[in-house]
């Protein structure tokens, strides 16, 4: 490995000519602009307005970059990586180098990360007051890490970027969090470290057991599609990844950290974590575990299905019992993860595609709900829904957006979530009809808590607390700083809801191609000797 | 057992004092600081530390100049000393430890009115001992070097004479250190006795020289004297590393010792034990791998568990450093286990080296912060003394957080890469049970490392009813030099997490 880091980084861009050099640079910029600006702010002490505008740039570049990359995504990509880059690190001997690229599975989540990151960032720029510089710095680093996660082709960096994003999360909860921030941050840190460590061992196991001594996902895929691991090894590695990633996505018995952390966290942190970063685990299952270890999934699928049902049904019931708005949103986000797991379990292209679509839709809707929940709190001065009421008359725009977000989260047609849940239900039905029926119960549960929340907050007579508070200072409707990010998220929800093909086409192609490569097209597990061809990878050695 | 003229000739030929130039320079420096203390006028005496540090830094730079590099292991002094690339890196490592400790000692002795030069003198001698230790290839050399280190530590630990904690720690180390030296010596004697028996096959040669001894041990791995001797030698080494069940002295001694000594114990002395263990398993005890590897793996697992579980309930920062240091010793042992025996990983020793370097950077950064904030009786410093550090002194707070994060092994900091390499090596060597224990250890360690960060950054809800915040303690200012040093250590900890290409020994 020769050449120092910045130079080799430039060198890696050079082989790209014409439009490709542009998109390669765009990909790097989308990841490293927030990181570099975050590090810059860490050491400088500029004026407050400069901080906010720098942060604005830091969140806009990934937003615009991810949209441009999504627009320019090649139509016939299959499961190959577009915009592929390879940047050497000092660990080349150990098979670790920074490989970036997007395939059909990664692209929707990369786009989600750009959009939700933009919304959360703008909201934080508008809302944060206490030690704003430190908060925005950490949020920028978190955003950079998140963008990196979904653009990593190297499994090591996939993990690495996740942790870069996770550390600021702990710190922001611990410092700017609500009432029980200390305990929540500590519990989250311990739980997520456990999950991260389990999945790390699983990834190391892949690295060693494949005999490749490489973390490169493309070579791992290529190798394992020809040669399979022994059943025992495959099952064990899958178990490590399933429980490790499962803890990170708040899979049923390992979910207790999530509601506490999201309730204690500042709104923009909840938006980014529940909306995007938490999808890391599911994304890992779909992008890594599913193609590399299909037999492992087959072996564990019934247990995973039960746990996912636990998310949907049990946590759904817990959600219904909440009277704290933020806790309700937090629990509902845990609940909806169950659907995505069910999609993976169903072991079919439509189920997996549905799970990805569901992740995107849920990310948008839960981020919007956390944002609007914070807006409600800023006005009502409480998260207790029993103490609210009749806010629709005072804040019509807030009410409309909130109702829209809740309906999206329930899965009403017209919003993105509908398509995700729809595909998942079809897939689960073929897997096991009664399980689909049990999961459908979740829809009823989410309608119950969603509509009840809307009713308690926005309809009926004004509660005493609200009256007292509005007497002190009149309620204002959504300000520009709240409206911009909210509309951004709502637009994305509706766009995907009305034109699901825009997102689902690359997903479908990638997932189908993956299933074909591994000989899983008919849902059965068998060895296949066909090898995939990677159209866009030029130097995958 | 010198028998033939050829052997005598070889011994005289291989005695080249110049190969020990860094050690000789340090000994001369140790004498020079005493002379300077006598001759320099009182107003100039504060230069002494600076001069000593400059010489150490120059030696460190010379050691890694291209012309001074060592590509092949080569024996000197009739097989007493072996200069090898690995030993060369450890030489540099110990020099760096000595340099940083001298830096810590400057503030410590000055602010407490303790004699400055004597500390420096002893510290330099201990550094020399450790450097010789990392190149010894003969049990006599090993024992003499180890005793040089141990004896200087007796004084360095009890250095703060007016502090009863320091004296108590010194006494404890004296008793337990004496015991460990005795065990080590007894083990050496047993090995000597066995290998020197003329009736046994392969008993010719020098029974204390590692290469000769390894031939004998390979031929008689089950000889009771060999087994007993090796076990006793390893016990003595385990004491230095702080490995279970010889870790019992660590919390009390770390707590009582002056901060610079604690730092030197935690990093240099532990690394000294590890390099001895590496040398032993690479050469003389290589034939014992059949039982040595399972034994070391068990010890590593127990060490990791003990360190992490006992650290959970601590609030005294030096005890936390001591007990968490025990768990780091466990991780290092894990790397050592992967480096020898069947299915060994060729680069595992390099991973151990990287882990040690990362541990050095983070530990010294922590001790620097601790040194600045320490009250006069530094053995009583607890997590409560760090309240509001992040708000009042953001630079120290950030350095503290980075160092703790690196020790906890959180990406993107260097500590994570260290743990990752050790874990990969352990997996490749097939040590799954140990890996499981290590994972549990990492998760448990998050609790106390993160608790320390929380103590420094999160405002506690005030307990008083009138809402008065607790008074800010009168922390002394850090000097510009300390800021620079802390900045370099922190920056290296971050950079090594992203890019490791300039560490030639990894490749």
């Amino acid at each position: 490995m020769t050449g120092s880091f910045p130079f080799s980084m430039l060198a890696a861009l050079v082989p790209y000519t014409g439009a490709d050099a542009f998109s390669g640079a765009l990909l790097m910029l989308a990841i490293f602009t927030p990181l570099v600006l975050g590090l810059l702010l860490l050491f400088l002490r500029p004026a407050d307005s400069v901080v906010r505008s720098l942060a604005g740039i830091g969140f806009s570049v990934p937003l615009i970059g991810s949209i441009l990359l999504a627009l320019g995504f090649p139509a016939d990509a299959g499961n190959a990586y577009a915009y592929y880059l390879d940047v050497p690190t000092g660990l080349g001997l150990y098979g670790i180098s920074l490989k970036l690229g997007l395939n059909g599975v990664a692209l929707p989540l990369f786009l989600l990360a750009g959009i939700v990151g933009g919304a959360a960032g703008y909201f934080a720029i508008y809302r944060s007051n206490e030690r704003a510089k430190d908060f925005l710095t950490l949020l920028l680093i978190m955003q950079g890490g998140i963008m990196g996660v979904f653009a990593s082709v190297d499994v090591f960096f996939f993990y690495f970027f996740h942790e870069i994003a996770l550390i600021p999360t702990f710190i922001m909860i611990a410092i700017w969090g609500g009432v029980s921030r200390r305990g929540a941050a500590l519990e989250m840190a311990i739980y997520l470290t456990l999950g991260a460590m389990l999945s790390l061992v699983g990834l190391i196991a892949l690295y060693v057991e494949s005999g490749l001594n490489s973390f490169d996902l493309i070579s791992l895929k290529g190798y394992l599609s020809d040669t399979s691991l022994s059943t025992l090894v495959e099952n064990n590695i899958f178990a490590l990844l399933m429980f490790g990633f499962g803890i990170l996505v708040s899979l049923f018995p390992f979910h207790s950290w999530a509601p506490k952390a999201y309730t204690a966290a500042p709104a923009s942190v909840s938006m980014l974590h529940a909306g995007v970063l938490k999808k890391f685990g599911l994304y890992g299952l779909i992008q890594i575990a599913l193609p590399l270890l299909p037999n492992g999934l087959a072996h564990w699928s019934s247990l995973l299905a039960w746990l996912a049902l636990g998310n949907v049904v049990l946590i759904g019931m817990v959600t219904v019992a909440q009277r704290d708005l933020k806790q309700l949103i937090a629990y509902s986000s845990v609940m909806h993860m169950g659907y995505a797991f069910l999609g993976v379990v169903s072991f079919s292209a439509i189920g997996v595609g549905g799970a990805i679509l569901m992740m995107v839709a849920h990310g948008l809707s839960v981020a919007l709900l956390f944002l609007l929940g914070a807006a409600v709190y800023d006005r009502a001065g409480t998260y207790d829904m029993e103490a609210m009421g009749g806010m629709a008359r005072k804040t019509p725009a807030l009410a409309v957006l909130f109702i829209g977000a809740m309906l999206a989260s329930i899965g009403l047609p017209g919003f993105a979530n509908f398509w995700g849940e729809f595909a998942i239900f079809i897939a689960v039905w073929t897997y096991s009809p009664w399980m689909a029926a049990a999961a459908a119960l979740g829809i009823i549960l989410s309608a119950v808590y969603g509509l009840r929340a809307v009713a308690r907050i926005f309809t009926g007579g004004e509660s005493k607390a609200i009256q007292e508070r509005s007497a002190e200072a009149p309620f204002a409707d959504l300000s520009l700083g709240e409206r911009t990010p909210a509309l951004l998220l709502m637009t994305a929800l509706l766009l995907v809801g009305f034109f699901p093909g825009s997102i689902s086409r690359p997903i479908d192609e990638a997932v189908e191609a993956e299933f074909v490569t591994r000989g899983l097209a008919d849902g059965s597990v068998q060895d296949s000797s066909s090898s995939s061809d990677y159209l866009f990878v030029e130097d995958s050695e | 057992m010198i028998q033939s003229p050829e052997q005598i000739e070889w011994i005289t030929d291989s005695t080249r004092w110049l190969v020990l130039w860094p050690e000789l320079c340090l000994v001369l420096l140790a004498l020079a600081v005493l002379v300077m203390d006598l001759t320099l006028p009182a107003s100039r005496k504060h230069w002494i530390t600076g001069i000593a540090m400059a010489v150490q830094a120059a030696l460190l730079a010379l050691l890694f100049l291209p012309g001074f590099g060592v590509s092949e292991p080569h024996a000197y002094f009739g097989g007493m000393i072996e200069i090898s690339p690995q030993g060369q890196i450890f030489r540099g490592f110990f020099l760096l430890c000595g340099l940083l400790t001298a830096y810590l000692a400057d503030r410590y002795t000055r602010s407490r009115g303790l004699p400055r030069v004597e500390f420096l003198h002893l510290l330099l001698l201990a550094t020399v001992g450790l450097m010789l230790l990392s190149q010894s290839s003969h049990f006599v050399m090993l024992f003499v070097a180890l005793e040089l280190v141990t004896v200087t530590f007796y004084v360095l630990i009890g250095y703060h004479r007016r502090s009863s904690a320091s004296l108590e720690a010194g006494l404890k180390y004296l008793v337990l250190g004496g015991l460990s030296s005795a065990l080590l010596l007894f083990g050496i004697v047993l090995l000597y006795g066995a290998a020197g028996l003329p009736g046994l096959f392969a008993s010719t040669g020098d029974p204390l020289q590692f290469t000769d001894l390894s031939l004998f041990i390979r031929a008689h791995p089950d000889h009771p004297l060999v087994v007993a001797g090796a076990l006793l030698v390893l016990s003595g080494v385990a004491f230095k590393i702080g490995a279970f069940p010889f870790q019992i002295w660590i919390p009390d001694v770390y707590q009582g010792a002056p901060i610079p000594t604690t730092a030197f114990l935690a990093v240099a002395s532990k690394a000294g034990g590890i390099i001895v263990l590496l040398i032993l398993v690479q050469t003389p005890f290589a034939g014992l791998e059949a039982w040595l590897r399972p034994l070391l793996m068990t010890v590593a697992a127990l060490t990791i568990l003990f360190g992490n579980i006992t650290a959970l309930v601590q609030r005294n920062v030096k005890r936390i450093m001591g007990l968490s240091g025990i768990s780091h010793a466990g991780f290092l042992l894990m790397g050592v286990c992967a480096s020898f025996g069947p299915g060994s990983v060729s680069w595992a020793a390099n991973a151990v080296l990287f882990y040690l370097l990362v541990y050095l950077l983070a530990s010294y950064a922590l001790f620097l912060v601790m040194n600045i904030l320490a009250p006069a009786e530094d053995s009583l410093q607890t997590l409560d003394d760090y309240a509001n550090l992040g708000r009042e002194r953001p630079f120290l707070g950030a350095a503290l957080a980075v160092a703790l994060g690196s020790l906890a092994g959180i990406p993107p900091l260097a500590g994570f890469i260290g743990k990752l390499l050790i874990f990969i090596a352990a997996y490749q060597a097939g040590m799954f049970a140990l890996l499981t224990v290590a994972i549990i250890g990492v998760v448990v360690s998050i609790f106390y490392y993160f608790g320390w960060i929380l103590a420094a950054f999160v405002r506690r809800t005030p307990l008083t009813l009138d809402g008065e915040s607790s008074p800010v303690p009168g922390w002394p200012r850090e000097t510009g030099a300390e800021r620079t040093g802390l900045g370099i250590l922190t920056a290296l900890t971050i950079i090594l997490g992203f890019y490791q290409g300039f560490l030639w020994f990894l490749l």
Side-chain angles (χ1 to χ4, degrees):
Chain A
M1 215 41 63
T2 55
S4 61
F5 185 62
F7 290 108
S8 49
M9 197 188 277
L10 285 176
L13 292 174
V14 172
Y16 280 84
T17 51
D20 278 334
F22 175 70
S23 12
L26 207 58
L27 186 65
M28 295 287 271
L29 280 177
I31 298 167
F32 289 101
T33 311
L35 276 181
V36 169
L37 282 176
L39 287 177
L40 210 65
L41 284 179
L42 207 57
F43 296 109
L44 301 179
R45 292 174 184 280
D48 189 56
S49 59
V50 180
V51 170
R52 281 172 209 265
S53 33
L54 278 181
I57 297 171
F59 290 109
S60 302
V61 171
L63 173 65
I64 298 167
S66 62
I67 293 175
L68 288 179
L69 288 173
L71 291 177
F73 195 73
D76 52 351
N79 62 346
Y81 282 92
Y83 316 125
Y84 185 83
L85 292 173
D86 190 349
V87 184
T89 65
L91 294 173
L93 187 77
Y94 304 93
I96 297 171
S97 72
L98 176 56
K99 301 187 183 71
L100 299 173
L102 294 173
N103 66 358
V105 176
L107 178 76
L109 288 155
F110 189 74
L111 185 61
L112 171 77
I115 294 173
V116 174
Y122 297 148
F123 189 54
I125 292 170
Y126 159 76
R127 191 165 183 252
S128 71
N129 292 318
E130 192 199 353
R131 297 167 76 186
K133 190 203 95 166
D134 300 339
F135 186 80
L136 290 173
T137 304
L138 290 168
L139 202 67
L140 278 170
I141 295 177
M142 185 177 175
Q143 170 69 358
I146 290 176
M147 299 304 289
V149 166
F150 297 112
S152 291
V153 184
D154 189 274
V155 175
F156 171 81
F157 274 96
F158 159 77
Y159 179 88
F160 191 77
F161 276 121
H162 170 251
E163 296 283 311
I164 291 186
L166 209 50
I167 306 312
T169 318
F170 301 148
I171 302 175
M172 283 186 284
I173 293 176
I175 298 183
W176 289 272
V179 202
S180 55
R181 54 177 184 268
R182 249 183 130 83
L186 196 57
E187 181 174 346
M188 186 186 186
I190 292 175
Y191 242 120
L192 295 195
T193 308
L194 178 64
M197 277 293 145
L198 286 179
S199 42
L200 180 65
V201 175
L203 299 177
I204 291 178
L206 272 179
Y207 170 95
V208 178
E209 295 290 349
S210 71
L212 284 180
N213 287 357
S214 161
F215 278 117
D216 178 21
L217 190 56
I218 296 175
S219 24
L220 280 173
K221 271 186 192 167
Y223 179 80
L224 288 177
S225 64
D226 296 338
T227 343
S228 28
L229 301 168
S230 78
T231 318
L232 182 71
V233 169
E234 191 164 340
N235 290 348
N236 288 347
I237 298 180
F238 190 85
L240 282 169
L241 292 181
M242 181 177 98
F243 288 112
F245 286 145
I247 290 172
L248 298 176
V249 198
S250 62
L251 181 64
F252 166 56
F254 316 108
H255 64 278
S256 67
W257 60 271
K260 285 179 200 159
Y262 295 150
T263 311
S268 20
V269 176
S270 298
M271 286 168 75
L272 261 181
H273 194 276
V276 197
L277 188 54
K278 196 165 73 162
K279 271 69 181 178
F280 165 84
L282 272 165
Y283 173 76
L285 274 185
I286 295 174
Q287 183 84 287
I288 299 171
L290 186 67
L292 297 186
L293 310 159
N295 299 308
L297 176 60
H299 182 258
W300 289 98
S301 66
S302 61
L303 175 66
L304 189 55
W306 277 104
L307 298 181
L309 269 189
N311 270 58
V312 172
V313 178
L314 292 181
I315 306 298
M317 290 179 183
V318 174
T319 317
V320 173
Q322 300 304 317
R323 55 179 275 181
D324 180 299
L325 173 61
K326 209 169 180 187
Q327 256 172 9
L328 180 130
I329 303 171
Y331 271 107
S332 87
S333 94
V334 175
M335 170 198 170
H336 279 104
M337 288 301 97
Y339 289 125
F341 275 114
L342 282 176
V344 176
V345 169
S346 76
F347 221 90
S348 58
I350 185 166
V352 174
I356 300 169
L357 198 54
M358 166 81 202
M359 280 152 69
V360 173
H362 173 261
L364 295 170
S365 64
V366 82
L368 185 55
L369 279 175
F370 272 120
L371 192 162
L372 297 173
V376 168
Y377 173 82
D378 286 344
R379 285 160 184 78
T382 174
Y383 275 118
D384 185 3
M385 292 187 291
E386 302 283 331
M388 300 180 201
M391 277 177 69
R393 253 163 294 158
K394 292 186 185 299
T395 56
L398 174 59
V400 167
L401 281 169
F402 191 93
I403 293 168
M406 242 343 158
L407 292 179
S409 161
I410 295 168
L412 203 75
F415 294 101
N417 308 51
F418 169 75
W419 297 107
E421 292 184 12
F422 184 63
I424 290 173
F425 276 114
I426 293 178
V428 175
W429 185 268
T430 46
Y431 177 73
S432 151
W434 73 264
M435 209 167 252
L441 189 65
I443 304 249
I444 301 171
L445 289 173
S446 45
V448 170
Y449 66 71
L451 297 178
R452 229 171 46 179
V454 168
R456 279 178 181 168
I457 300 170
F458 292 102
T459 62
E462 283 174 22
S463 72
K464 213 174 157 198
I466 298 274
Q467 279 171 351
E468 279 170 12
R469 223 179 136 81
S470 57
E472 285 170 27
F475 273 28
D477 205 351
L478 285 183
S479 64
L480 187 68
E482 293 161 329
R483 214 174 280 221
T484 318
L487 283 177
L488 179 65
L489 293 169
M490 185 49 96
T491 315
L493 271 176
L494 288 170
L495 267 180
V496 180
F498 282 100
F499 307 103
S502 57
I503 293 284
S504 68
R505 190 183 43 76
I507 302 178
D508 287 346
E509 280 189 10
V511 175
E512 296 272 8
E514 203 64 69
F515 272 73
V516 169
T517 315
R518 297 287 283 160
L520 306 171
D522 53 354
S524 66
V525 181
Q526 60 195 47
D527 283 331
S528 159
S529 56
S530 68
S531 65
S532 54
D533 63 340
Y534 295 100
L535 294 171
F536 293 84
V537 178
E538 286 168 5
D539 45 353
S540 63
E541 285 313 303
Chain B
M1 287 210 186
I2 297 156
Q3 287 143 345
S4 61
E6 289 82 15
Q7 249 177 327
I8 296 172
E9 197 180 274
W10 181 64
I11 292 173
T12 41
D13 277 356
S14 64
T15 301
R16 304 265 180 78
W17 285 97
L18 273 184
V19 299
L20 294 180
W21 60 270
E23 287 82 1
L24 291 176
C25 288
L26 274 192
V27 172
L28 288 178
L29 178 64
L31 295 174
V33 293
L34 292 182
V35 174
M36 280 191 275
D37 191 38
L38 293 174
T39 52
L40 281 179
S43 59
R44 301 275 162 81
K45 278 191 182 160
H46 59 271
W47 287 6
I48 297 177
T49 306
I51 294 171
M53 281 173 61
V55 175
Q56 280 171 294
L59 286 177
L60 190 61
L62 277 177
L63 199 58
F64 293 116
L65 271 187
F68 292 80
V70 176
S71 52
E72 295 268 300
H74 200 284
Y76 293 98
F77 293 93
M80 287 266 182
I81 293 271
E82 188 182 80
I83 306 279
S84 65
Q86 177 181 283
Q88 204 71 357
I89 291 163
F90 270 96
R91 261 179 165 176
F93 183 88
F94 293 127
L95 257 177
L96 187 58
C97 290
L99 178 71
L100 289 166
T101 310
Y103 193 38
L104 284 172
D106 186 48
R107 174 189 278 271
Y108 189 88
T109 49
R110 190 155 32 84
S111 62
R112 285 169 185 74
L114 294 170
R116 189 183 311 180
V117 173
E118 286 81 349
F119 192 98
L120 207 52
H121 174 76
L122 290 167
L123 174 69
L124 290 169
L125 290 183
T127 312
V128 171
L130 285 165
M131 287 164 76
L132 289 175
L133 199 60
S134 63
Q135 298 160 89
S136 56
S137 59
H138 192 285
F139 267 124
V140 170
M141 187 67 222
L142 183 121
F143 186 75
V144 170
L146 202 63
E147 278 308 284
L148 176 58
V149 178
T150 312
V151 171
T152 46
F153 263 124
Y154 293 150
V155 188
L156 286 175
I157 291 170
Y159 198 77
H160 196 343
R161 270 174 309 172
R162 292 186 302 277
S163 155
S164 54
S166 176
L167 293 178
E168 184 193 323
L171 190 65
K172 279 181 177 159
Y173 192 75
L174 177 67
V175 174
L176 290 170
L179 178 69
S180 91
S181 296
L183 290 178
L184 178 69
L185 195 57
F186 193 47
I188 295 175
V189 169
L190 288 184
L191 289 174
Y192 179 81
L197 280 178
L200 288 173
F201 169 72
S203 68
T204 51
D206 185 346
L208 289 178
Q209 211 282 324
F210 289 167
T211 322
D212 293 351
L213 187 61
S214 76
L215 296 176
F216 175 79
I217 288 183
R218 267 188 204 289
H220 306 278
D222 300 323
H223 195 284
L225 283 181
V226 168
V227 174
L231 274 178
L232 287 169
V233 167
L234 289 173
S235 308
V237 176
F239 177 86
K240 290 280 170 259
I241 300 175
F244 190 89
F246 298 94
Q247 84 298 358
I248 217 72
W249 57 279
I250 284 192
D252 286 352
V253 172
Y254 276 41
Q255 184 188 359
I259 288 175
T261 312
T262 312
F264 202 58
L265 262 182
V267 182
S269 176
K270 201 181 288 291
I274 290 288
I275 176 66
V276 170
L277 190 63
L278 271 175
I279 294 174
L280 287 178
V281 299
Q282 277 163 4
T283 322
F285 294 168
L288 300 175
E289 66 197 17
W291 59 266
L292 191 54
R293 197 144 170 253
L295 176 75
L296 280 183
M297 277 158 63
T298 317
V299 168
L302 291 171
T303 308
I304 291 173
L305 286 179
F306 181 92
N308 280 315
I309 291 172
T310 47
L312 276 182
V313 292
Q314 296 298 332
R315 293 196 65 78
N316 182 297
V317 289
K318 280 209 257 170
R319 288 183 92 87
I320 294 181
M321 283 310 285
L323 293 166
S324 74
I326 294 177
S327 78
H328 289 291
F331 289 117
L332 290 164
L333 280 178
M334 206 168 144
V336 174
C337 289
S339 74
F340 74 106
S344 66
V345 181
S346 57
W347 47 267
N350 298 344
V352 170
L353 252 168
F354 184 77
Y355 195 99
L356 272 173
L357 179 65
V358 167
Y359 177 67
L360 174 144
L361 295 173
S363 297
Y364 271 99
L366 269 180
F367 281 113
L368 263 168
V369 174
M370 212 185 275
N371 200 26
I372 294 167
L373 305 181
E377 179 51 67
D378 56 285
S379 63
L380 300 179
Q381 197 180 17
T382 66
L383 294 185
D384 298 328
D385 292 323
Y386 288 77
N388 292 325
L389 181 73
R391 177 173 292 260
E392 301 296 325
R393 307 291 285 281
F395 179 74
L396 293 185
L400 181 87
V402 168
L404 286 170
S406 181
L407 285 180
I410 295 172
L413 302 169
F416 168 67
I417 306 286
K419 285 212 168 73
L420 177 81
L421 293 181
I422 297 252
F423 285 2
I424 295 181
Y427 193 103
Q428 283 195 333
M431 309 189 299
F432 303 118
L434 185 52
L435 196 57
T436 314
V437 173
I439 297 292
I440 296 172
V442 171
V443 174
V444 171
S445 75
I446 293 291
F447 181 83
Y448 56 83
Y449 284 130
F450 201 59
W452 195 341
I453 297 181
L454 287 183
F457 280 89
V458 179
R459 211 173 352 145
R460 278 183 172 272
T461 325
L463 292 173
T464 48
L465 284 174
D466 48 1
E468 267 181 43
S469 56
S470 54
V472 177
W475 286 317
R477 280 268 141 215
E478 68 269 23
T479 62
E482 277 167 335
R483 272 183 96 88
T484 318
L486 210 47
I488 293 173
L489 291 175
T490 308
L492 277 176
T493 301
I494 297 174
I495 292 168
L496 280 180
F498 284 95
Y499 185 71
Q500 303 78 11
F502 47 82
L503 293 178
W504 68 99
F505 59 81
L506 273 180
L507 301 174

